[in-house]
Amino acid sequence: DQQVKQNSPSLSVQEGRISILNCDYTNSMFDYFLWYKKYPAEGPTFLISISSIKDKNEDGRFTVFLNKSAKHLSLHIVPSQPGDSAVYFCAASWGGSEKLVFGKGTKLTVNP
Amino acid sequence: EAGVTQFPSHSVIEKGQTVTLRCDPISGHDNLYWYRRVMGKEIKFLLHFVKESKQDESGMPNNRFLAERTGGTYSTLKVQPAELEDSGVYFCASSQVSGPSDGYTFGSGTRLTVV
């Protein structure tokens, strides 16, 4: 009963192009969403978040879009850089809970 | 400032043995979390401390797992006796504020292999 789903295990893009990572969720109670980036042998690093009262949040090259009716969010990276190559995890929480529910991750490879 | 420190980084133990993982959070962070990632699966919540108190331990898989945070500083997670399915990467995270808004700071994890 996975509540946060990242259906693409991997994604490969060319340097300079846009990377779009997708995430779907099933629990309509989720009201806060986060993206983490993880390099091998390191812990996840917080990237960007969005509250359910918004539909978009930007931070530099990273933008997260939230479509509540579709229970879908996406992370856009523009332009993609080789250093962005990592595993990206989508996570969600609800009601101010400290507990995060993660997806399985998508491995992004940005080719020079 | 120093980040979240976990050790050991790797541990290989035999089924039935005991292992203790340690996490040193960022100084001043009252909130401490344990998560686990079994190979190829999602990262799953285990428990949350506020200072020395267990705020939420709903993710602890069974009574073979014991977490402590004496004095509200570092935390330990003991697995006794270890089973094969306990293998995975155990992450610790800490935060200063309550709630996920600051995204937490994760340690590099302890990779536990039970053979």
Side-chain angles (χ1 to χ4, degrees):
Chain A
D1 63 333
Q2 210 180 338
Q3 298 184 71
V4 177
K5 300 178 183 179
Q6 294 178 257
N7 293 319
S8 298
S10 63
L11 174 68
S12 183
V13 300
Q14 285 298 120
E15 180 178 5
R17 305 295 289 267
I18 184 171
S19 295
I20 300 176
L21 297 113
N22 293 304
C23 177
D24 297 291
Y25 60 96
T26 58
N27 189 342
S28 57
M29 299 297 290
F30 287 145
D31 58 12
Y32 201 82
F33 304 89
L34 307 91
W35 283 94
Y36 285 83
K37 177 171 72 174
K38 184 186 177 305
Y39 294 118
E42 294 185 10
T45 301
F46 171 68
L47 200 55
I48 192 169
S49 63
I50 188 167
S51 164
S52 61
I53 62 174
K54 295 186 175 182
D55 55 18
K56 177 181 173 182
N57 188 27
E58 284 182 84
D59 184 1
R61 296 185 298 115
F62 302 91
T63 302
V64 56
F65 295 91
L66 175 62
N67 182 334
K68 283 180 291 183
S69 61
K71 294 192 180 70
H72 177 84
L73 63 155
S74 60
L75 174 68
H76 293 211
I77 307 173
V78 184
S80 301
Q81 300 173 353
D84 296 330
S85 297
V87 177
Y88 288 78
F89 290 95
C90 173
S93 72
W94 71 99
S97 169
E98 310 280 344
K99 182 189 308 185
L100 295 179
V101 180
F102 283 86
K104 289 186 178 182
T106 296
K107 182 177 182 180
L108 172 66
T109 303
V110 180
N111 302 301
Chain B
E1 73 181 353
V4 176
T5 306
Q6 292 186 248
F7 47 94
S9 56
H10 293 84
S11 180
V12 181
I13 62 170
E14 292 185 353
K15 176 182 171 181
Q17 289 187 321
T18 297
V19 64
T20 300
L21 314 181
R22 173 168 168 151
C23 169
D24 285 72
I26 293 173
S27 177
H29 281 195
D30 288 340
N31 295 280
L32 186 149
Y33 313 86
W34 284 98
Y35 283 80
R36 174 174 75 171
R37 188 185 189 202
V38 173
M39 170 111 44
K41 301 212 169 176
E42 64 271 28
I43 301 170
K44 281 197 170 180
F45 170 85
L46 296 178
L47 87 159
H48 167 218
F49 283 100
V50 176
K51 297 185 180 179
E52 68 276 7
S53 299
K54 291 177 187 174
Q55 193 75 9
D56 181 352
E57 53 184 329
S58 61
M60 295 288 265
N62 51 61
N63 59 10
R64 295 186 293 103
F65 288 75
L66 175 64
E68 294 180 323
R69 190 181 183 196
T70 307
T73 54
Y74 70 91
S75 174
T76 58
L77 180 63
K78 180 190 288 188
V79 185
Q80 178 182 30
E83 298 290 343
L84 298 179
E85 64 265 24
D86 301 332
S87 296
V89 182
Y90 289 76
F91 292 105
C92 175
S94 72
S95 68
Q96 191 166 35
V97 301
S98 294
S101 59
D102 70 342
Y104 309 152
T105 301
F106 280 85
S108 297
T110 295
R111 181 175 294 277
L112 175 65
T113 303
V114 183
V115 297

